[in-house]
Amino acid sequence: MLRSLRIANFAIIDELALEFAPGLNVLTGETGAGKSIIMQALGLLCGARGSADLIRTGADEAAIDAVLDLSADARTAATELGLDGDDELSLRRMIARAGKGRLHLNGSPSTLAVLTQLGLRLLHIYGQHEYALLLHPDTHLDLLDDLGRLTAPRHEFTTAYRALVAAHHNLTALTQGGQAARAHAELLRFQITELEAAAPEPDEESHLQQEREVLRHAEQLAQACDGGEAALYSGDDAAAPVVARIRTQLRDLARIDPRLSEIAALLDAAHTQLDEAALQLRQYANRIHHDPDRLAAADERLALLRQLARKHNCRGDELAAQLETLRAELDRVTGAGLDLESAQQAVTVAARAAWRSAAALSAVRRLAGCELERRMHAELPTLGMEGATFTVQFASEMNASEPSASDPFVLGEARLSERGGDRVEFHLSANRGEAPRPLAKVASGGELSRIMLALKVLTAGAGEVDTLIFDEVDTGIGGTVADAVGRRLKALACERQILCITHLPQIAVHADHHFAVEKRVRKGRTVTSAKALSPDERVVELSRMLGGAVTSREAERYARRLISEAHKGSPA
């Protein structure tokens, strides 16, 4: 969750600081006041590219600082990227007029690649461009897979598809002649040489990560072991000597009462274990040392392994296995045993496996499509689209028993791609009695924004990112429809922190926290500022949005009535 945002020397912002909270956070202001500049700053937090053009005139650099409270999922993502698994993340991004910008995560230098990966798990911005994605049918399949939580079957298909692509590539190389085969072999040799130079070991990344943690906390571990050894053995009033004295006393007293000999035997065993524990603590403390050079080497090695892992599309622990796979593939390409017939057989086997996986993926997609239609049927009326019909249309059928002999990527009407064998398009009928038609042909801007909002409401509780940011979700709507959108944003904010930029009072009135953005001229320069509104200030801002003057009692009464009605209708 985004807790605070500070922007300095950015566009027309001199310095701006905002404190956000859970729930629905709304930003309002006149057109051109600078709301889009704040959105640009948030985009930079998600990994967007920055440029010197964004730096305020007269300044050498711009700075964006943010503090985020991390959920359990977000902490896991941060840990996977090498950050400490704390509950809080501080982020500072600097854009310099001369030279490269700088980025710090939790006070340590980081890279834009790390920020981009982290941003995907922390913040998601839905601007007008994203609503427009619904106009492109190619995006609908990915949206369906995301909504249906089909990551596992899609990953399984992708693995089978890539195996088919590799087999088909080998066959094509052999068919096209020795030159293509030699080029493929050269690529394999280059990849093998690169991995052999790195000499990865099985599970090396995991071992290095563990070693890195020990090195980072070496002093803490050594102190704990020294203290433990002293408490057990060598320190004043250590446990082992005390146990030894009691054991000796009980042995002497056992001459009077033999029953005490059993207790003495227990203390004898305890004394032996205490001695052994103290010895092992002493040996451990002697072995562990704070070694900055080794820590730096481990960090450098981890960076190399992760770079290679990204290049080879595998985990760092799998690089050694990947090297063996490439060697085996090179043997197949260059070996005398790999002839055209065996290559064709490999394609046939891989094609059958890929199409089986594609059929399984298609089956669960169709179930997900039916579920999405059902849930959208219930959701759209709450956004002022009574009588609307939303359907998921599948445009291809895998209606043949075997892939094409000439093209293994074709089966009946379907053709394989890395996303499967389906072609999907969302259809909409906005009015009763009208047949659903392709979304791109019939949906207005207001309908597109509401459909995207409905999709996000349906996925809000399924563990996506912690903070969703909606930029002008009110495009093309107004009146009672705007009020319905405001209520759905409020409902969505029960599951996720929401930031929303809007021009409509019917939406702003549902805010848990309301911020006003304004632009003024100070000392001959334009400056954008923003602040959290008090209840009275909020009434004034809503009055402005309603079109009434600040002094207009009628506008203020209407604003207060809107606030009261929104409060009564808030979700529990």
Side-chain angles (χ1 to χ4, degrees):
M1 181 192 79
L2 181 62
R3 195 169 78 209
S4 67
L5 175 68
R6 179 181 174 274
I7 306 171
N9 296 324
F10 187 75
I12 59 173
I13 294 176
D14 230 347
E15 185 165 352
L16 180 150
L18 293 172
E19 299 289 330
F20 296 106
L24 178 57
N25 297 260
V26 165
L27 287 81
T28 61
E30 296 280 5
T31 300
K35 301 185 296 299
S36 61
I37 298 173
I38 297 175
M39 291 299 299
Q40 278 185 294
L42 290 169
L44 291 175
L45 295 183
C46 297
R49 294 282 178 181
S51 71
D53 295 336
L54 297 173
I55 301 173
R56 185 165 174 76
T57 302
D60 294 327
E61 61 182 11
I64 301 164
D65 294 88
V67 177
L68 298 99
D69 293 329
L70 302 184
S71 64
D73 288 343
R75 287 197 300 274
T76 300
T79 302
E80 290 173 353
L81 292 170
L83 301 173
D84 292 333
D86 296 333
D87 293 339
E88 179 181 286
L89 173 70
S90 63
L91 189 155
R92 180 174 179 81
R93 186 163 182 191
M94 309 288 291
I95 303 172
R97 195 175 295 281
K100 293 184 177 180
R102 303 187 304 282
L103 172 64
H104 288 79
L105 298 175
N106 283 342
S108 299
S110 189
T111 65
L112 191 59
V114 171
L115 176 63
T116 300
Q117 294 181 57
L118 192 60
L120 292 172
R121 303 285 290 273
L122 299 179
L123 305 170
H124 201 144
I125 300 175
Y126 296 93
Q128 295 185 37
H129 69 283
E130 185 144 5
Y131 308 142
L133 289 178
L134 289 173
L135 295 174
H136 302 285
D138 286 346
T139 66
H140 296 181
L141 186 62
D142 291 332
L143 283 169
L144 177 62
D145 287 352
D146 289 342
L147 292 163
R149 306 292 176 225
L150 304 183
T151 302
R154 180 153 170 172
H155 177 73
E156 181 180 340
F157 164 76
T158 299
T159 301
Y161 175 78
R162 289 176 178 173
L164 172 58
V165 169
H168 188 258
H169 182 81
N170 287 336
L171 175 61
T172 301
L174 287 173
T175 302
Q176 291 178 348
Q179 184 176 358
R182 285 193 298 272
H184 184 49
E186 281 300 311
L187 173 61
L188 290 171
R189 290 189 186 97
F190 171 81
Q191 293 174 323
I192 289 169
T193 300
E194 184 180 50
L195 285 177
E196 286 177 339
E201 297 290 338
D203 299 325
E204 184 180 1
E205 184 181 27
S206 296
H207 295 156
L208 272 175
Q209 187 68 38
Q210 176 62 34
E211 181 185 4
R212 177 179 179 271
E213 289 302 301
V214 172
L215 288 168
R216 289 178 63 225
H217 301 89
E219 292 182 0
Q220 179 184 351
L221 293 170
Q223 289 174 2
C225 291
D226 287 336
E229 189 277 339
L232 294 177
Y233 191 82
S234 63
D236 296 334
D237 298 324
V242 172
V243 171
R245 286 196 303 270
I246 297 172
R247 176 195 61 189
T248 301
Q249 292 173 355
L250 291 179
R251 281 178 176 172
D252 292 337
L253 293 173
R255 297 189 186 98
I256 299 172
D257 187 350
R259 290 176 295 178
L260 292 175
S261 61
E262 295 180 4
I263 302 175
L266 291 173
L267 291 176
D268 190 52
H271 183 263
T272 299
Q273 292 181 348
L274 289 173
D275 281 349
E276 179 63 24
L279 175 61
Q280 292 190 25
L281 285 173
R282 186 162 53 249
Q283 291 173 343
Y284 184 92
N286 290 336
R287 287 195 306 269
I288 193 165
H289 300 285
H290 177 60
D291 187 348
D293 292 336
R294 177 53 191 160
L295 178 58
D299 283 336
E300 184 177 351
R301 180 65 174 174
L302 279 170
L304 173 62
L305 293 177
R306 287 167 179 167
Q307 178 186 8
L308 291 171
R310 287 193 297 271
K311 184 179 291 187
H312 290 274
N313 195 29
C314 67
R315 295 187 297 111
D317 287 341
E318 298 171 343
L319 285 171
Q322 177 69 6
L323 176 56
E324 294 305 317
T325 299
L326 292 174
R327 285 168 174 164
E329 186 175 353
L330 180 61
D331 288 341
R332 288 196 299 272
V333 170
T334 59
L338 185 62
D339 56 15
L340 191 61
E341 183 178 351
S342 61
Q344 179 64 63
Q345 181 60 29
V347 169
T348 300
V349 172
R352 289 172 179 167
W355 280 105
R356 281 197 301 270
S357 182
L361 175 59
S362 181
V364 293
R365 273 176 175 161
R366 290 170 188 272
L367 291 176
C370 292
E371 177 65 11
L372 177 59
E373 290 176 352
R374 184 188 68 79
R375 298 182 68 187
M376 289 290 281
H377 179 74
E379 186 63 32
L380 289 178
T382 68
L383 294 172
M385 296 181 69
E386 294 83 357
T389 302
F390 179 93
T391 63
V392 181
Q393 299 292 330
F394 286 78
S396 57
E397 294 287 344
M398 302 174 199
N399 54 6
S401 58
E402 287 289 333
S404 167
S406 59
D407 188 345
F409 297 93
V410 173
L411 180 65
E413 300 173 356
R415 182 174 185 83
L416 279 189
S417 71
E418 194 159 351
R419 302 190 301 168
D422 296 308
R423 288 187 293 118
V424 166
E425 185 171 9
F426 296 158
H427 284 211
L428 175 72
S429 169
N431 303 291
R432 284 191 178 91
E434 296 294 327
R437 298 180 59 199
L439 200 62
K441 295 182 179 180
V442 297
S444 66
E447 288 165 345
L448 286 176
S449 62
R450 281 180 282 168
I451 289 170
M452 178 61 81
L453 178 57
L455 295 175
K456 299 320 298 176
V457 169
L458 296 182
T459 58
E464 288 188 350
V465 297
D466 294 336
T467 299
L468 303 180
I469 304 168
F470 291 91
D471 183 13
E472 299 190 5
V473 70
D474 51 17
T475 300
I477 62 175
T480 57
V481 172
D483 179 68
V485 169
R487 293 183 185 280
R488 296 315 291 155
L489 285 171
K490 182 78 169 181
L492 188 58
C494 294
E495 301 288 344
R496 292 285 181 273
Q497 183 192 42
I498 303 297
L499 273 62
C500 177
I501 290 178
T502 182
H503 291 284
L504 295 181
Q506 293 92 338
I507 291 178
V509 75
H510 293 282
D512 297 305
H513 315 281
H514 192 157
F515 303 85
V517 182
E518 62 178 1
K519 181 171 63 177
R520 294 179 178 176
V521 177
R522 296 176 184 169
K523 297 180 180 180
R525 298 195 68 187
T526 302
V527 176
T528 285
S529 63
K531 68 172 185 176
L533 300 180
S534 68
D536 289 339
E537 290 171 330
R538 190 179 181 206
V539 170
V540 173
E541 173 66 5
L542 288 170
S543 298
R544 179 198 65 77
M545 297 173 72
L546 286 164
V550 172
T551 58
S552 170
R553 293 183 179 180
E554 182 180 354
E556 289 192 9
R557 282 198 302 270
Y558 187 38
R560 293 183 188 279
R561 192 181 81 186
L562 286 177
I563 293 173
S564 176
E565 291 175 353
H567 180 73
K568 291 178 182 178
S570 296

